[in-house]
Amino acid sequence: MGAWASGPAEHEFRELPEKTGFSVDELRSLYKRFMQLCNEEGTLRQEDFEKIEHLQLNPIRSKIIRAFFDKRNFHKTEVGTVQEIGFVEFVTVVSYFKLPETNQTKEQAAELRRKKLRFLFNMHDTDSDETITLEEYKYVIEDLLSSYKTIEKETAKAIADSAMLEVANITGRSMENCGSITFEEFFQILQDVEVESKMNLRF
Amino acid sequence: MPARCRWAGAWRTFPRVRWVFLLALFAGAVASASAGQVNDTDSGATGGEGTGHHSRRAFPVLAVNYEYIRMPFEISLWILLASFMKLGFHLIPRLSGVVPESCLLIAVGLVVGGLIRLMGETPPVLSYNLFFLCLLPPIILDAGYFLPMRPFSENVGTILVFAVVGTLWNAFFMGATLFGVCQAVGGQLESVGLLACLLFGAIVSAVDPVAVLAVFEEIHINELLHILVFGESLLNDAVTVVLYHLFEEFGNVGIVTLADVFLGIICFLVVAMGGIMVGAVYGVLAAFTSRFTSHTRVIEPLFVFLYSYMAYLSAEVFHLSGIMALIACGVVMRPYVEANISHKSYTTIKYFLKMWSSVSETLIFIFLGVSTVAGPHAWNWPFVIATIFLCLISRVLGVIGLTFVINKFRIVKLSNKDQFIVAYGGLRGAIAFSLAFVLSAKHFPMKNMFLTAIITVIFFTVFVQGMTIRPLVELLAVKKKKETKHSINEEIHTQFLDHLLTGIEGVCGHYGHHHWKDKLNRFNKMYVKRWLIAGERSTEPQLISFYHKLELKQALMLAESGSTAKLPSIPSSASMQGESMRRSTRGRALPQISKVKEEEIRKILRANLQKTRQRLHSYNRHTLIADPFEDNWTEVRLRKKRVEMERRVSDLLHLNSIPPKPNLSCQRMMMGAWSEVKVIVIVKHSTTHVHTTKYVLLLTHSEQWAAMKGSRGAVCGDGALLSGFTVAPWRFGTRTSNLLITGSFPYPLGQPPPQ
């Protein structure tokens, strides 16, 4: 906690509660964890994430790790990835999983939903071209199935195909150019998954 | 004509009254006849033996011996009556929409009880043994086996709080206040002690699963509210058992010390945990047994029922919570048993459970009505009025207070509307009645008064609350049950979210419930599944099985809807090698399929399609969705493995037009881009040849297709010949035979056949 008070970029940290919505206590514990992960260095790199043991068994760990370094998740308009992140970016990414405020208006709830779905979309869209192609979706499915050893390649591809077909069915698009999903379509197909209530963690 | 129509209408609208009269008359007649007959046979027998042969009587051509079959006959009559009631209610169209079935059944019970009393017999009462050992277990097993695990486990904290704390609050509040009322009113009521009142409170306060199920199934509210009220009604059994035994025990002694309270708490934990563990042990045993039943499929359902019933009985031996044991058994055994048993066994289990629970529920309500007429009553206005009033008040206060606390911990808060439905849905039922019925009159001299009050409460909740809850749900615009869409995207993302949240929890370094859920899943996959699931299904991931189910459902839907549906095809750009492929997969018009053919296709597919099982969640006992599929999954898989595809069919099909065959009118159905052949549709049958030939349309990839002839091989649309894949010829009804193919094409279609 001492490092918090005397941190070099303390003025940045003062804005964090409003920017991210976390309380000061939550930020403190996140800061502690951040320092623990980066071995007191002050910035996190991909190797630091890979050392986390809980993530070892997670089938989508590469995507999770990548999400932390994806510039699109930093509330800015740039694209691409960075090599190392500071505490501000760390907290910004984690803030996507914050519980919604009580007494939210409908617009705020819709906005929050959009934000969270955007995060998911960015995770799938690895080449940052604002569309999820069939290949990218196939990788998602292969990742999900990777913990089972007896998977044939064609099954994953077949699942991806049928998922895309479903997207086309739901969005009513013609099948000629259904090789990719835009964010709007993604939003539409996942409207029954209550992301704003499921994609939350307690801090 | 008008007279006949009126008669027909009357016949249709009054079946149950006729049947009731007929049955009652029959029962009465037979009963009285048997009373006479017994005397005759007895005297005849003794007479004959005692004096050797004296006056010989004529050989009895027809003899009546009712006593021999009396017991099973009466039981069957009652069950028949219950079934006729169910039939009758659904024939009367408007009635079943307005009045819930439970109300009608109680009314029928009242009528039947009245009739029996009129005939001078004593009506049977809902005895403790009959109810708890025979009538209740099927209902609970049905509920537990089909309990939707995901919403249940997400809300288990809320459900437990309502069940435990809510029931305790209800019991103590009601008991204490009733005691106060009794003392205040005085007179006859002064002799009712505090413990007796507390016992009464404990009996009345528990929400009844049978009544809740009966009413809530008809109103189709959203899953969250359904699982909250229903889960509470199931889990409060442990509390009820402990409180009941505690107060019954100390009702004799008269005083309760602090040590007893402490012991009571321990007892509660033992009862609840013990019940769950007994159920889990039996569940694991059942799962393990089902692993070896691959050669004796016929008795598979029997194992499920027997193990569950034994779990219930074993828990009841030790005064543990039988209901929780039954639920735990069903929940634990279900995923493993379903992976092991055949599809027919699964259907059997589902149908039998629904049937038994339906009959049980009907019988329970009818007996409630009959027992009302039968039982000794002691009506006491202040007591009864106070009971009803306090029931409502304590429930409302309890729900509001608990929700206030719970909402601090919940992500999805319970709104006021939700709270109202939860409070209003707290129905009391037959469990309360049975528990009160077994009170010993010696220790509880006011037993009859208790019984009367409980019956009044039950009637009030079932009739008033049961009838008005549906219009209230409409009025308050409570969210209804969503139609499940079985979307593969949602399934993918649900799993994705689980892993994502577990990962982020790992990054942030704390162990939330995702972490533990993940650990449980991993443990389940590595150890438990291997032991309890036979064969290679133990390593099948959930996404794959979901996908296959979906695929098959789509296949059947396509076949049933005929070729009029133009389905879009997927250009799987990753798998196809050329743009020319994509160009060829443009939409083409589909010719119509004749009605006769459509029917034939539908029948054939339903009867003989070899696909995996479909798991359809249904906990509404009135609607069972038909399962048309056979279970031959292992065969299909073996077949797939046997037939290797050398090249992807999609790369090779270059059919751009159908060469006009003289007698061929092909229809085409489109499926998604499976790389293997999955669905067969009967296309046409030609009668101009000497041998009737059948062409079967195979869907391979997007719009490309091939037609197959007979069982000798296949003829591709443009003349290429295919052979070498497994064909399963089957005959159906007519002289024609149709073909079913699963597996992959080993040869490229669209090229000249190898000679």
Side-chain angles (χ1 to χ4, degrees):
Chain A
M1 252 65 98
W4 169 272
S6 59
E10 198 193 321
H11 58 280
E12 272 181 47
F13 294 174
R14 252 190 237 128
E15 297 164 356
L16 278 179
E18 296 108 51
K19 258 203 320 185
T20 57
F22 282 119
S23 73
V24 181
D25 289 323
E26 289 166 343
L27 281 172
R28 261 192 241 275
S29 59
L30 281 173
Y31 189 73
K32 233 172 64 164
R33 176 70 182 168
F34 176 76
M35 279 298 156
Q36 195 186 18
L37 284 178
C38 68
N39 291 327
E40 310 294 328
E41 278 170 31
T43 56
L44 275 178
R45 273 181 280 270
Q46 284 207 338
E47 304 85 58
D48 298 317
F49 276 99
E50 275 156 24
K51 279 188 286 184
I52 304 175
E53 8 161 322
H54 298 313
L55 279 189
Q56 301 292 350
L57 297 168
N58 199 314
I60 56 169
R61 67 178 166 282
S62 53
K63 283 203 178 335
I64 297 178
I65 296 175
R66 213 189 139 273
F68 275 93
F69 294 91
D70 191 339
K71 276 199 211 161
R72 286 175 296 176
N73 294 331
F74 297 157
H75 296 312
K76 303 194 185 109
T77 47
E78 305 156 10
V79 285
T81 58
V82 291
Q83 291 299 97
E84 47 182 44
I85 55 171
F87 181 59
V88 178
E89 287 88 17
F90 179 73
V91 170
T92 313
V93 172
V94 173
S95 75
Y96 279 99
F97 296 91
K98 200 179 143 14
L99 292 172
E101 311 281 330
T102 49
N103 307 328
Q104 266 187 337
T105 63
K106 274 210 162 140
E107 295 83 37
Q108 278 178 331
E111 174 62 36
L112 187 66
R113 207 181 138 73
R114 223 183 157 75
K115 210 170 78 147
K116 294 194 194 251
L117 278 176
R118 181 82 216 182
F119 183 80
L120 280 184
F121 186 82
N122 290 343
M123 281 185 82
H124 294 320
D125 180 22
T126 45
D127 57 4
S128 307
D129 62 354
E130 297 298 312
T131 59
I132 304 180
T133 64
L134 189 72
E135 275 296 322
E136 290 167 345
Y137 215 51
K138 194 169 65 127
Y139 289 141
V140 172
I141 296 172
E142 276 175 10
D143 276 343
L144 281 179
L145 299 175
S146 63
S147 49
Y148 297 88
K149 296 175 257 325
T150 60
I151 289 311
E152 304 144 3
K153 278 284 182 183
E154 289 123 27
T155 322
K157 199 194 76 56
I159 297 180
D161 289 342
S162 71
M164 295 297 246
L165 175 64
E166 211 176 78
V167 171
N169 274 338
I170 293 179
T171 59
R173 217 168 38 160
S174 71
M175 285 317 303
E176 276 88 33
N177 49 359
C178 176
S180 54
I181 309 175
T182 65
F183 177 61
E184 287 308 320
E185 288 158 352
F186 189 72
F187 189 80
Q188 206 178 347
I189 59 178
L190 286 188
Q191 55 191 15
D192 279 333
V193 176
E194 290 170 356
V195 176
E196 63 273 16
S197 51
K198 287 202 178 148
M199 195 166 138
N200 291 309
L201 288 177
R202 273 180 207 292
F203 292 99
Chain B
M1 203 40 84
R4 196 176 301 174
C5 289
R6 248 188 292 130
W7 171 247
W11 174 260
R12 228 188 301 271
T13 48
F14 295 109
R16 58 186 171 99
V17 182
R18 305 181 81 88
W19 283 116
V20 164
F21 272 124
L22 282 172
L23 279 173
L25 281 171
F26 188 47
V30 172
S32 52
S34 74
Q37 184 60 35
V38 165
N39 296 333
D40 286 346
T41 48
D42 274 348
S43 61
T46 50
E49 281 176 51
T51 57
H53 28 233
H54 55 45
S55 59
R56 134 203 177 105
R57 58 191 182 123
F59 182 73
V61 175
L62 191 65
V64 178
N65 187 358
Y66 182 62
E67 278 307 309
Y68 177 54
I69 50 115
R70 184 196 179 105
M71 190 57 153
F73 191 75
E74 288 185 350
I75 295 176
S76 309
L77 265 186
W78 278 109
I79 299 183
L80 206 56
L81 175 70
S83 316
F84 281 135
M85 291 309 111
K86 282 190 92 66
L87 281 182
F89 293 149
H90 288 282
L91 287 177
I92 306 175
R94 272 170 306 132
L95 197 59
S96 49
V98 172
V99 185
E101 217 176 79
S102 38
C103 303
L104 294 170
L105 289 169
I106 294 186
V108 168
L110 287 172
V111 168
V112 172
L115 279 174
I116 297 185
R117 217 202 206 151
L118 279 179
M119 291 199 235
E121 302 254 328
T122 52
V125 191
L126 189 64
S127 75
Y128 186 87
N129 284 353
L130 174 68
F131 178 69
F132 275 105
L133 293 183
C134 300
L135 292 179
L136 190 61
I139 302 179
I140 304 295
L141 179 60
D142 177 41
Y145 195 78
F146 293 110
L147 195 68
M149 271 321 284
R150 198 168 255 271
F152 186 76
S153 58
E154 282 172 10
N155 293 301
V156 76
T158 313
I159 294 177
L160 275 176
V161 168
F162 274 128
V164 177
V165 181
T167 312
L168 281 173
W169 155 260
N170 277 346
F172 282 103
F173 180 74
M174 275 203 69
T177 323
L178 267 178
F179 181 65
V181 165
C182 286
Q183 296 302 314
V185 169
Q188 212 186 8
L189 295 176
E190 263 197 49
S191 57
V192 181
L194 176 63
L195 280 171
C197 279
L198 283 174
L199 177 62
F200 179 73
I203 296 177
V204 174
S205 63
V207 177
D208 187 81
V210 179
V212 164
L213 262 181
V215 169
F216 269 52
E217 262 181 9
E218 299 178 354
I219 60 178
H220 297 300
I221 52 171
N222 61 47
E223 210 171 39
L224 172 68
L225 287 178
H226 189 287
I227 201 73
L228 280 182
V229 182
F230 183 57
E232 179 197 344
S233 69
L234 289 176
L235 295 186
N236 67 17
D237 181 61
V239 181
T240 312
V241 165
V242 171
L243 281 179
Y244 183 79
H245 285 120
L246 192 72
F247 290 133
E248 203 197 4
E249 188 69 29
F250 296 117
N252 312 343
V253 176
I255 41 170
V256 178
T257 65
L258 196 62
D260 298 323
V261 172
F262 186 62
L263 281 177
I265 297 179
I266 305 265
C267 180
F268 165 71
L269 289 170
V270 165
V271 161
M273 293 295 127
I276 293 179
M277 271 207 297
V278 167
V281 164
Y282 274 98
V284 169
L285 282 177
F288 192 63
T289 313
S290 71
R291 196 182 152 177
F292 303 106
T293 54
S294 48
H295 298 290
T296 45
R297 294 279 184 203
V298 185
I299 55 173
E300 271 170 346
L302 200 59
F303 283 118
V304 170
F305 300 138
L306 282 177
Y307 274 112
S308 316
Y309 195 49
M310 288 191 63
Y312 180 76
L313 295 175
S314 311
E316 288 286 329
V317 166
F318 299 104
H319 277 200
L320 305 174
S321 167
I323 290 185
M324 293 182 84
L326 208 47
I327 301 281
C329 185
V331 165
V332 165
M333 97 176 137
R334 185 181 178 194
Y336 310 110
V337 161
E338 282 193 352
N340 282 334
I341 60 177
S342 73
H343 182 66
K344 280 188 183 141
S345 301
Y346 171 72
T347 311
T348 309
I349 291 177
K350 192 160 81 165
Y351 270 90
F352 262 86
L353 279 179
K354 297 287 177 207
M355 180 184 80
W356 272 331
S357 65
S358 184
V359 169
S360 267
E361 184 187 298
T362 315
L363 276 175
I364 287 177
F365 282 114
I366 291 185
F367 269 121
L368 258 182
V370 173
S371 309
T372 310
V373 174
H377 288 299
W379 183 269
N380 188 315
W381 274 103
F383 192 75
V384 170
I385 300 288
T387 308
I388 296 183
F389 193 59
L390 284 172
C391 263
L392 286 174
I393 295 279
S394 73
R395 175 92 183 147
V396 169
L397 286 178
V399 168
I400 292 182
L402 284 175
T403 319
F404 181 70
V405 174
I406 291 174
N407 268 346
K408 295 200 200 305
F409 298 97
R410 280 184 64 94
I411 296 178
V412 179
K413 317 275 182 215
L414 293 175
S415 67
N416 289 338
K417 269 195 275 185
D418 296 336
Q419 291 176 40
F420 176 75
I421 296 290
V422 170
Y424 206 67
L427 306 172
R428 304 337 192 237
I431 290 186
F433 178 79
S434 306
L435 285 176
F437 197 74
V438 247
L439 289 176
S440 76
K442 195 163 46 116
H443 293 133
F444 297 98
M446 309 304 292
K447 171 181 158 181
N448 290 337
M449 188 178 73
F450 287 173
L451 267 180
T452 313
I454 287 182
I455 288 188
T456 318
V457 170
I458 294 178
F459 271 47
F460 181 80
T461 55
V462 172
F463 277 91
V464 174
Q465 286 179 241
M467 277 205 270
T468 54
I469 200 169
R470 197 194 305 225
L472 275 174
V473 162
E474 303 283 336
L475 193 69
L476 291 176
V478 178
K479 263 192 298 181
K480 291 289 191 87
K481 187 152 60 158
K482 257 190 314 200
E483 291 303 316
T484 48
K485 268 198 310 205
H486 297 291
S487 147
I488 188 131
N489 278 301
E490 282 176 24
E491 179 71 20
I492 291 176
H493 280 95
T494 313
Q495 291 204 4
F496 190 81
L497 270 178
D498 278 342
H499 289 300
L500 175 63
L501 288 171
T502 313
I504 299 286
E505 276 187 357
V507 167
C508 295
H510 55 250
Y511 300 88
H513 78 272
H514 284 100
H515 178 81
W516 296 115
K517 208 161 73 155
D518 193 54
K519 274 209 151 138
L520 187 69
N521 279 340
R522 204 164 292 131
F523 174 72
N524 187 22
K525 193 178 72 173
M526 291 240 281
Y527 300 110
V528 183
K529 274 195 181 168
R530 235 175 248 151
W531 277 103
L532 297 180
I533 299 185
E536 33 175 56
R537 286 216 53 160
S538 55
T539 51
E540 188 181 66
Q542 188 196 347
L543 192 60
I544 301 268
S545 47
F546 183 89
Y547 163 68
H548 282 301
K549 273 182 266 168
L550 202 63
E551 185 181 297
L552 299 168
K553 199 159 68 137
Q554 275 182 359
L556 186 61
M557 258 167 38
L558 273 183
E560 284 199 3
S561 62
S563 59
T564 51
K566 177 178 186 292
L567 272 189
S569 57
I570 298 180
S572 58
S573 47
S575 61
M576 291 196 294
Q577 288 186 0
E579 274 305 308
S580 59
M581 263 354 275
R582 304 186 75 175
R583 249 181 280 120
S584 66
T585 67
R586 292 295 170 259
R588 284 183 253 185
L590 299 173
Q592 280 290 85
I593 201 168
S594 73
K595 278 290 173 202
V596 171
K597 270 298 139 192
E598 204 178 281
E599 259 317 295
E600 199 179 339
I601 293 173
R602 202 171 290 156
K603 274 192 290 189
I604 289 164
L605 280 174
R606 250 189 231 127
N608 295 94
L609 204 58
Q610 293 178 335
K611 301 291 178 186
T612 51
R613 293 158 263 198
Q614 268 201 7
R615 297 284 176 265
L616 297 167
H617 294 292
S618 61
Y619 37 73
N620 182 338
R621 67 197 57 203
H622 301 306
T623 57
L624 283 172
I625 312 171
D627 284 323
F629 299 122
E630 290 277 326
D631 172 40
N632 275 307
W633 179 240
T634 44
E635 284 188 37
V636 171
R637 269 195 155 180
L638 286 173
R639 207 173 281 154
K640 266 203 287 195
K641 281 192 180 138
R642 249 186 278 128
V643 178
E644 293 276 333
M645 231 169 59
E646 294 184 7
R647 285 201 287 168
R648 296 262 170 83
V649 179
S650 59
D651 296 341
L652 311 167
L653 288 175
H654 286 281
L655 304 171
N656 286 321
S657 61
I658 309 163
K661 287 258 166 197
N663 305 306
L664 187 68
S665 69
C666 288
Q667 285 96 11
R668 190 177 16 207
M669 300 263 253
M670 296 213 269
M671 286 283 288
W674 325 137
S675 44
E676 299 166 324
V677 171
K678 296 284 192 222
V679 171
I680 283 63
V681 168
I682 313 304
V683 176
K684 164 208 167 347
H685 118 244
S686 143
T687 46
T688 58
H689 292 189
V690 174
H691 309 288
T692 52
T693 52
K694 300 288 159 283
Y695 286 89
V696 174
L697 199 59
L698 287 162
L699 296 180
T700 57
H701 182 81
S702 54
E703 282 191 4
Q704 283 83 18
W705 56 273
M708 204 186 81
K709 179 181 78 172
S711 54
R712 290 182 297 254
V715 173
C716 183
D718 63 354
L721 183 68
L722 291 169
S723 61
F725 47 82
T726 324
V727 186
W730 31 269
R731 299 199 174 276
F732 179 74
T734 62
R735 301 171 299 146
T736 60
S737 63
N738 303 296
L739 291 160
L740 173 70
I741 302 177
T742 57
S744 328
F745 280 132
Y747 292 99
L749 298 171
Q751 292 187 2
Q755 296 303 322

